Amino acid sequence: MIQTDVFLAGGFAGCRRVAGLAELHGRTWSPHTWSNGYGLVVNLHLALAVSTCPFVEVPFDPPGLPAERRDWLLPEPVPIAADGTIAPPPGPGLGVTPDFDALEQWRVG
């Protein structure tokens, strides 16, 4: 299993290239999504674009990283069904809009 994170390993293009190389060499690729809600959404979209991706690894075992903590920047947590399936958010682009009010505490200057 080869795992990359879109936020940490070259963006969409870099991770797509790694997924292609994994397939070329008979390996499986899946995103490693242990950052935040945006990381989950971005990696989920890439996983849906890579036909050989068997699953998306995501923190889903509270209390270590509950959805509210993982998705604090999103307008609402990304729902993960009891069977572990995740639907991409339905909006345009990545399907989510940042919660700019949540970012206000981090404003500099």
Side-chain angles (χ1 to χ4, degrees):
M1 173 65 62
I2 308 294
Q3 291 190 284
T4 56
D5 186 315
V6 171
F7 275 3
L8 305 172
F12 280 112
C15 289
R16 178 86 171 133
R17 187 170 66 92
V18 170
L21 289 169
E23 182 178 8
L24 181 68
H25 293 282
R27 301 292 188 257
T28 304
W29 173 87
S30 175
H32 187 266
T33 59
W34 287 80
S35 56
N36 56 45
Y38 262 102
L40 170 57
V41 170
V42 169
N43 282 298
L44 177 60
H45 277 80
L46 182 59
L48 292 168
V50 174
S51 63
T52 58
C53 179
F55 59 84
V56 175
E57 182 182 25
V58 60
F60 183 56
D61 190 15
L65 189 58
E68 293 76 22
R69 184 171 155 214
R70 180 194 66 219
D71 299 347
W72 69 274
L73 185 56
L74 304 178
E76 59 187 49
V78 175
I80 300 176
D83 68 356
T85 58
I86 310 170
L94 294 175
V96 294
T97 302
D99 181 350
F100 292 109
D101 292 334
L103 280 175
E104 202 53 41
Q105 67 177 318
W106 305 105
R107 181 183 295 271
V108 176

